[in-house]
């Protein structure tokens, strides 16, 4: 198989010259607090990326140790970690129940930056999940009830039927959070901030959790 659209070639020498003559990037906001730096980069991404700047790839492993990866949306980030919500009976939900560790990747294409995060994962509290659930639009809440996420769907009609059924079930009343729907928090043991620099001499800054704080190191690109 080959893709029909041509995959862009590597940068030419002219491209490199153009990059080198472009402005120096601003200094990093913080080299001691990864959350301050992440918040700075996400804020910039939210202002510049056309879609879903809070989207991140979530990597887990299945029971045979085979990695799996998919996009989810970051819903909260602070010193405690990075939170996302999902169906607990989905593939990712089951994988995290079996092996509660994961990696996250943000790639902001228009900023030419990526952030990698790794660490243990734990469920958010029921109160947190309820609070986030309450902010979801009603159709998304109905979808949370109707979708057996990651399990086989015979045809599109079966999903539409489920949506209609749960719509009737809850009528005009409040839609409660299903027991199978909640969130996870990844508490980072390490974070890596990467940004594009000329000649592919990219900048990499790694934070690793240490007693009472973080150690930092730079890596060859
Ligand atoms: C940009 C984007 C954001 C997504 N956000 C979520 C999310 O926050 N939660 C979720 O369960 N699925 C989300 N999905 C769908 C997942 O990528 C995936 O298809 C689904 O969760 C099933 O994954 P699994 O079978 O590995 O559990 C998103 C997909 C995209 C492309």
């Amino acid at each position: 198989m080959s893709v029909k659209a041509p995959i862009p070639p590597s940068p030419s020498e002219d491209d490199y010259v153009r990059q080198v003559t472009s402005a120096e990037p601003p200094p990093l906001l913080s080299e001691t607090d990864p959350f301050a730096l992440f918040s700075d980069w996400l804020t910039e991404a939210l202002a510049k990326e056309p879609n879903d700047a809070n989207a991140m790839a979530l990597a887990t492993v299945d029971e045979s140790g085979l990695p799996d990866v998919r996009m989810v949306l970051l819903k909260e980030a602070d010193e405690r970690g990075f939170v996302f919500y999902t169906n607990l009976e989905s593939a990712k939900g089951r994988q995290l129940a079996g092996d509660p560790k994961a990696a996250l990747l943000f790639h902001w294409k228009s900023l030419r930056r990526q952030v990698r995060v790794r660490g243990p994962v734990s469920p958010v509290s029921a109160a947190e999940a309820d609070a986030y659930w309450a902010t979801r639009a009603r159709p998304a809440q109905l979808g949370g009830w109707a979708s057996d996420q990651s399990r086989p769907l015979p045809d599109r009609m079966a999903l539409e039927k489920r949506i209609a059924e749960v719509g009737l079930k809850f009528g005009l009343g409040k839609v409660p959070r299903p027991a199978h729907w909640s969130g996870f928090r990844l508490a980072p043991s390490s974070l890596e901030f990467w940004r594009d620099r000329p000649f592919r001499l990219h900048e990499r800054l790694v934070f690793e959790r240490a007693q009472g704080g973080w150690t930092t190191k730079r890596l060859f690109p």
Side-chain angles (χ1 to χ4, degrees):
M1 186 214 58
S2 70
V3 282
K4 284 206 185 105
I7 292 182
S10 297
S12 67
E13 212 163 314
D14 283 354
D15 291 330
Y16 277 135
V17 169
R18 227 171 292 131
Q19 284 180 23
V20 171
T21 49
S22 68
E24 272 288 294
L28 296 174
L29 174 81
S30 170
E31 296 207 10
T32 51
D33 178 355
F35 296 105
L37 185 52
F38 180 80
S39 159
D40 188 43
W41 281 23
L42 179 62
T43 304
E44 228 177 303
L46 287 166
K48 292 200 180 140
E49 292 292 335
N51 283 310
D52 294 333
N54 59 327
M56 55 191 184
L58 163 72
T60 51
V61 286
D62 72 10
E63 65 279 9
S64 70
L66 188 67
D68 207 351
V69 64
R70 79 292 285 157
M71 302 304 292
V72 292
L73 294 176
L74 174 73
K75 289 295 167 181
E76 206 189 322
D78 59 25
E79 284 72 11
R80 293 170 303 158
F82 293 73
V83 174
F84 57 91
Y85 288 90
T86 193
N87 185 312
L88 302 179
E89 291 159 12
S90 64
K92 75 182 91 47
R94 282 180 282 112
Q95 289 163 4
L96 286 171
D99 194 353
K101 299 192 281 291
L104 303 173
L105 174 74
F106 296 85
H107 177 209
W108 294 302
K109 288 193 175 72
S110 35
L111 295 175
R112 297 177 188 273
R113 289 180 186 170
Q114 74 173 344
V115 177
R116 298 163 68 172
V117 188
R118 303 173 80 201
V121 170
S122 54
V124 300
S125 68
E128 275 181 278
D130 286 340
Y132 172 63
W133 175 263
T135 68
R136 284 171 66 98
R138 190 181 179 84
Q141 293 179 332
L142 294 176
W145 278 97
S147 172
D148 287 340
Q149 193 179 57
S150 314
R151 279 138 298 165
L153 171 68
D155 52 38
R156 184 82 199 169
M157 202 50 213
L159 179 59
E160 306 281 351
K161 193 164 160 264
R162 284 277 195 95
I163 294 278
E165 281 164 6
V166 295
L168 279 177
K169 178 174 166 194
F170 294 111
L172 295 176
K174 205 165 156 253
V175 182
R177 177 174 63 87
H180 63 251
W181 192 98
S182 190
F184 292 97
R185 173 175 281 110
L186 185 152
S189 47
S190 68
L191 303 96
E192 181 193 318
F193 293 79
W194 181 106
R195 62 178 175 175
D196 183 82
R197 297 299 302 274
F199 294 112
R200 302 229 159 133
L201 300 179
H202 309 303
E203 196 175 344
R204 298 178 67 185
L205 175 63
V206 176
F207 291 81
E208 278 166 343
R209 201 181 279 278
Q211 219 130 58
W214 297 92
T215 60
T216 54
K217 64 184 174 200
R218 289 183 174 270
L219 299 180
F220 281 102

